[in-house]
Amino acid sequence: MQALGTLSVSHRPISLPNVRAVIAEPSGEPAPMGQKTKYNDSFFDKMFMGIFTTKMEEVTGKKTELDGYEGLVEISRKVMQGRTPLQQRAAVRQVLMSTLPPGAPEQNLKNTLDLANMDRQKLLQDSADYAEFLSFRKLFPPTKWSAEFNAFITIPVFKWLVGPCDLQDVEVNGVMQKSLVKIKKCRYLENSGCVGMCVNMCKLPTQDFFTKEFGLPLSMTPNFEDMSCEMVFGKMPAPLDEDPAFQQPCFEAICTMAQPKSPVCPKLKPATESVQTDSVLA
């Protein structure tokens, strides 16, 4: 497998696989706003699409007959059906947790550890699961190096999901670091055309996944004017009640579930809602 690049860590080079979706547009750039970008998906792109689609089917009990990226988007829409935004985020979290290796945080949603809940934390202090949780988090310390490393590997590993992206410098807590992943035009948002899917099925679950499970802050800021997005590793996400994403109306012209008369996408709930409840999938 061709290596995309290397990063020296403790004098041992790490090679990253060439997992990337290639734009089929003549310009080589994403299509203009309002148009869908054409991609030439590789074998590995399709493999990862299939893996994520299958895991979403297993977690939610929903099925799709479509293949490739269309199947991933369709199963995402089905996840939204009959579920509150809270339950949608919890479903995606469970999918993400299921991809982690042994020794990672507990993958059963009912055993979720809410670090903000001290009573819950105290109950788990003596458990083996809690010890494994702490051990796993040590692999992702909230340091400049960790933020830059995670940003570095995000680009080649997740281009199939979000489309072309670049690694850029950003200031975090007064320190310049190369931990900003700039997504030119998010493939997921472009194909779903849904603000609610962007926020509930991608932005919030991914932020929580890194910030709460790994202990490495991640802030994601989608731009609904051009469908670009900025992922900043090492930066704490904005409080939900201050996040401008929750004030975004539907894409009236491209969303099949749009409600034009609503000033805010109806798939978004009050920003104070967060994934902290057991059995939300029940």
Side-chain angles (χ1 to χ4, degrees):
M1 195 184 308
Q2 181 182 357
L4 178 69
T6 59
L7 179 66
S8 179
V9 182
S10 299
H11 306 293
R12 296 178 62 186
I14 296 178
S15 297
L16 297 178
N18 189 6
V19 181
R20 57 192 179 92
V22 178
I23 287 182
E25 299 290 337
S27 65
E29 295 293 326
M33 184 67 175
Q35 300 178 27
K36 288 186 180 180
T37 305
K38 297 179 181 179
Y39 286 88
N40 286 328
D41 294 316
S42 69
F43 168 81
F44 293 104
D45 298 328
K46 295 176 182 178
M47 179 183 71
F48 277 94
M49 292 172 194
I51 291 173
F52 268 72
T53 299
T54 299
K55 286 187 175 296
M56 291 184 74
E57 289 178 332
E58 292 174 349
V59 167
T60 64
K62 304 287 186 177
K63 297 292 181 181
T64 176
E65 299 299 324
L66 299 179
D67 296 323
Y69 209 88
E70 291 78 11
L72 178 64
V73 173
E74 184 186 57
I75 194 65
S76 296
R77 288 198 180 99
K78 290 186 176 182
V79 169
M80 296 184 74
Q81 297 172 358
R83 287 183 171 84
T84 67
L86 177 63
Q87 292 170 328
Q88 294 165 27
R89 300 167 206 165
V92 176
R93 176 198 176 276
Q94 195 169 4
V95 171
L96 293 173
M97 295 294 282
S98 72
T99 65
L100 296 179
E106 177 59 54
Q107 296 180 9
N108 188 332
L109 186 62
K110 293 184 179 180
N111 290 329
T112 297
L113 172 63
D114 174 15
L115 293 181
N117 187 333
M118 298 308 293
D119 292 334
R120 176 71 167 167
Q121 182 174 345
K122 185 177 181 180
L123 290 173
L124 294 176
Q125 283 285 356
D126 298 327
S127 72
D129 287 342
Y130 185 70
E132 289 183 358
F133 178 85
L134 293 179
S135 178
F136 185 83
R137 283 172 65 102
K138 290 180 181 179
L139 299 176
F140 300 89
T143 63
K144 175 183 177 181
W145 180 91
S146 182
E148 292 183 330
F149 176 73
N150 278 274
F152 177 81
I153 63 176
T154 293
I155 292 179
V157 174
F158 287 102
K159 273 189 177 181
W160 67 269
L161 178 61
V162 299
C165 41
D166 298 316
L167 187 61
Q168 300 180 8
D169 291 317
V170 65
E171 183 175 335
V172 179
N173 298 325
V175 178
M176 292 301 299
Q177 56 191 46
K178 195 174 289 292
S179 65
L180 165 60
V181 176
K182 176 72 173 185
I183 301 170
K184 293 183 178 181
K185 188 182 184 186
C186 180
R187 188 178 184 180
Y188 190 71
L189 178 57
E190 180 182 39
N191 280 266
S192 68
C194 180
V195 172
M197 284 179 64
C198 167
V199 175
N200 296 324
M201 304 286 290
C202 181
K203 170 182 161 63
L204 291 183
T206 306
Q207 285 183 169
D208 284 349
F209 185 63
F210 280 92
T211 304
K212 295 182 179 180
E213 309 301 343
F214 286 179
L216 176 64
L218 170 65
S219 172
M220 297 180 66
T221 307
N223 183 333
F224 294 104
E225 297 297 323
D226 60 7
M227 294 188 172
S228 64
C229 184
E230 293 187 351
M231 301 177 65
V232 181
F233 288 88
K235 179 182 178 181
M236 288 296 297
L240 298 188
D241 57 357
E242 298 177 12
D243 196 323
F246 284 90
Q247 304 303 317
Q248 181 66 27
C250 293
F251 286 119
E252 180 178 348
I254 59 177
C255 181
T256 58
M257 301 178 287
Q259 295 186 19
K261 295 183 179 180
S262 176
V264 177
C265 174
K267 299 299 181 181
L268 302 175
K269 284 290 186 178
T272 53
E273 189 181 61
S274 61
V275 181
Q276 297 179 351
T277 306
D278 290 341
S279 65
V280 295
L281 295 181

